[in-house]
Amino acid sequence: MLYIKLNAENNNHGNPVSQPFEGSVALPNELLSVYIDTMGFCDIEVTDDIVTAIIADTEAIEVYEATHPEPEPKEPEPTPDEDRDAMLVDLEYRVTLLELGVTDDAFQDA
């Protein structure tokens, strides 16, 4: 069983924690996924200090999502195989230039 704030601050009951605290109510495991889906922005019904129902506050969720957009995905780091392949291509390029008697400097001057 986890615990959340009974009284929401800024329309949010906060992250569930494993230990009870002053002003908390118990969140049964069967309601945890519903609570997580609401990101804590919900109205709760409580009986005997245990949450019995969760109603999503869709307006608060929309406001939160509008002010916290998803970050841009980062370029993934190359895998060891991709890194090795890039080094092999560079090596082949340099060996070819050496065989032809051409240097990189000739291309930079052009």
Side-chain angles (χ1 to χ4, degrees), residues 12 32-42 54-57 61:
N12 190 300
L32 180 60
S33 64
V34 175
Y35 183 77
I36 289 172
D37 289 343
T38 69
M39 297 183 294
F41 295 104
C42 58
I54 296 175
I55 301 101
D57 184 347
I61 293 170

Side-chain angles (χ1 to χ4, degrees), residues 67-101:
T67 57
H68 296 83
E70 289 290 323
E72 293 293 323
K74 293 182 180 178
E75 185 73 26
E77 291 290 322
T79 64
D81 288 339
E82 293 170 333
D83 203 25
R84 180 205 60 226
D85 292 345
M87 286 190 285
L88 287 173
V89 167
D90 185 60
L91 177 65
E92 287 294 322
Y93 170 74
R94 291 174 186 275
V95 168
T96 301
L97 290 178
L98 282 172
E99 289 173 345
L100 294 172

